[in-house]
Amino acid sequence: MTDLFPAAAEGDAVGRLRSRLASGADAAGLLDVAYRSVDSPVGPLLLAATPLGVVRIAFDVQGHDAALAELAANVGPRVLRAGARLDEPTRQLEEFFTGRRRRFELPLDLRLAGGFRRRVAEALAGIGYGETVGYGALAARLGAPGAARAVGTGCARNPLPVVLPCHRVVRADGSVGDYAGGADAKRWLLDLERGDRGPAPAAACRVQPA
């Protein structure tokens, strides 16, 4: 059960119907993944969650359709635009982008990060707000000092950017390095945390119409 009603063909009445169907499917345990799209200061974001927690955040440049296909293949085929499960993640992201939150308090589903990438994802949660660490230094924290390249791969394939802050991992010379959302998005996030950029407007995360 993937997206039942294409957005382009949807009027208000159909939108309300889809919302009721999604809520009913979620309440009945029939929904593998709920998702919504939000506009943010670093571009449109896809947010997706399972009953266990937030499972995927994807930047527009990564391809939201590709992210949804990955979720259908690796989590479950019943993927539906259903906002209620994403209300709290959306609220916390807005607080972060407006400078009112420094730490996320969300249940996370890390099933898309396996093996060493799972260890990298878990280590990212320990990098504090406004802190940066080099790829090699993070590898050393993981007890694998020669694995800087593998740490870079883990950051690039981090399924939950922003919430698991791979933007805080930089090159040894302090330059920003690569980022799934693009170098400009990484600089924006680092500037926000350094206080070099004013917080985003109050409506930092606006839910895109279904």
Side-chain angles (χ1 to χ4, degrees):
M1 183 173 66
T2 53
D3 207 8
L4 296 178
F5 302 102
E10 182 180 298
D12 289 344
V14 176
R16 289 193 295 270
L17 173 60
R18 180 162 74 173
S19 179
R20 289 197 297 271
L21 287 172
S23 297
D26 199 3
L30 300 176
L31 190 57
D32 296 321
V33 180
Y35 76 92
R36 73 163 37 154
S37 299
V38 300
D39 291 324
S40 84
V42 289
L45 299 175
L46 176 78
L47 312 182
T50 70
L52 297 178
V54 185
V55 70
R56 188 75 171 93
I57 298 174
F59 292 98
D60 188 49
V61 295
Q62 295 177 285
H64 290 179
D65 287 344
L68 291 171
E70 177 191 21
L71 289 165
N74 295 298
V75 178
R78 299 175 298 184
V79 179
L80 189 64
R81 188 188 297 268
R85 196 184 288 179
L86 282 309
D87 285 346
E88 182 62 17
T90 301
R91 183 183 71 82
Q92 291 196 25
L93 281 166
E94 180 168 2
E95 290 174 349
F96 172 80
F97 287 131
T98 54
R100 294 176 290 135
R101 174 175 291 274
R102 295 191 170 199
R103 181 181 179 87
F104 291 96
E105 299 172 325
L106 295 168
L108 304 180
D109 183 342
L110 291 177
R111 74 180 74 187
L112 296 180
F116 189 72
R117 290 194 296 115
R118 174 72 172 250
R119 294 180 60 198
V120 172
E122 291 171 344
L124 291 172
I127 306 174
Y129 187 94
E131 178 188 358
T132 57
V133 61
Y135 294 100
L138 187 57
R141 289 188 188 184
L142 290 168
R149 186 179 296 273
V151 165
T153 299
C155 289
R157 299 183 65 184
N158 172 19
L160 295 167
V162 183
V163 171
L164 293 180
C166 52
H167 62 275
R168 297 173 190 161
V169 185
V170 298
R171 291 175 175 160
D173 63 3
S175 59
V176 297
D178 296 329
Y179 189 57
D184 287 343
K186 187 170 184 176
R187 290 190 190 95
W188 193 96
L189 292 165
L190 291 172
D191 286 349
L192 173 68
E193 296 186 10
R194 291 169 180 154
D196 294 338
R197 178 184 299 276
C205 282
R206 183 178 64 84
V207 178
Q208 294 181 2

